[in-house]
Amino acid sequence: MTSELPILYQDERMVAVHKPSGMLVHRSAIAADAQVFALQTLRNQLGRHVYPVHRLDRPTSGLLLFALDPEMAKALGEEFTAHRVHKRYLAVVRGVGPEQDVLDYGLREEDGKRPKSEMPELAAWTAVRRLDSVELPVRIDRYPQVRYSLMEAQPWTGRRHQIRRHLSRRGYPIIGDAKHGKGAHNRFFRDHLESPRLLLAAVGMTIWHPEQARTLQLDAPLADDMRTLFARFGWQGHAPATNVDWHETRPVSLWPTGHDR
């Protein structure tokens, strides 16, 4: 695991980094085996306290934002709570995904303390869009060829494993998802395409900067392994590059009107 995290953006109040797949954001009782964490790694790297304001699943790679003081952590946290943070992910899924759709399946929390059936169902929305697809002359299951799609996902809510669960429920599980995916396709990518990980990457975020009083737009590159896979499938044009931009307009809430929280 890397000893330093690539910094995508930094000022006196916040810092955005690229988290590799397999790294936890912070210590967790559900992953007692983990020894390297983004929070501690970045703290040691910068020589100061850092405060996570959101999370990425352990197998998800990409853009992760930290505040550099408690006041900024509170202000940024309020933007997430108000659903004014716009996030963009790229995922490789089985099948030819929908050209464009909003997935609105309610999700129950998966905290492990109680059976999921006893947990309340929470509203959840994910906007998805197919960017590209590929067909391979390989027999998996009963078909003589397989198709995979590159999907853009923009979660409007932040439920646990939301993108993974929504795409799987819609019939397009993300490759490499051991919990919500399909084993035969995961093994094919692992054994023949040198891709043993969850193919989900956080590549963009638009968030109001409370001190600057402007909107910060961040774009993050893919990890090397996903970039190699994109080149193999002819998807290079969809691979984002590191970018920082500013806008004067404040992001609007993504929470659909007329729905209780």
Side-chain angles (χ1 to χ4, degrees), residues 203-219:
V203 298
M205 179 182 294
T206 301
I207 186 169
W208 180 252
H209 195 301
E211 185 176 72
Q212 295 276 347
R214 293 188 294 167
T215 293
L216 175 62
Q217 179 182 326
L218 299 171
D219 296 299

Side-chain angles (χ1 to χ4, degrees), residues 152-180:
E152 175 189 75
Q154 298 185 51
W156 296 355
T157 47
R159 310 308 181 193
R160 183 173 174 81
H161 296 172
Q162 176 175 313
I163 297 173
R164 296 162 62 179
R165 295 164 71 185
H166 268 176
L167 282 168
S168 179
R169 185 164 172 180
R170 183 68 165 78
Y172 305 99
I174 300 176
I175 300 301
D177 191 336
K179 185 171 185 179
H180 307 286

Side-chain angles (χ1 to χ4, degrees), residues 96-113:
V96 179
E99 182 176 353
Q100 192 163 320
D101 202 355
V102 174
L103 310 183
D104 60 354
Y105 310 115
L107 298 175
R108 299 182 188 277
E109 288 292 350
E110 299 177 319
D111 65 357
K113 299 175 183 177

Side-chain angles (χ1 to χ4, degrees), residues 85-148:
V85 181
H86 299 191
K87 296 176 286 183
R88 178 174 180 260
Y89 292 75
L90 294 180
V92 180
V93 306
R94 185 199 68 181
V96 179
E99 182 176 353
Q100 192 163 320
D101 202 355
V102 174
L103 310 183
D104 60 354
Y105 310 115
L107 298 175
R108 299 182 188 277
E109 288 292 350
E110 299 177 319
D111 65 357
K113 299 175 183 177
R114 289 187 290 168
K116 191 166 69 173
S117 60
E118 296 180 6
M119 303 295 285
E121 185 174 88
L122 303 174
W125 289 270
T126 307
V128 297
R129 180 167 67 103
R130 187 180 72 247
L131 302 180
D132 218 327
S133 60
V134 67
E135 182 175 291
L136 304 179
V138 177
R139 178 180 290 276
I140 298 180
D141 297 329
R142 62 185 183 275
Y143 301 107
Q145 65 279 322
V146 289
R147 295 175 179 176
Y148 300 102

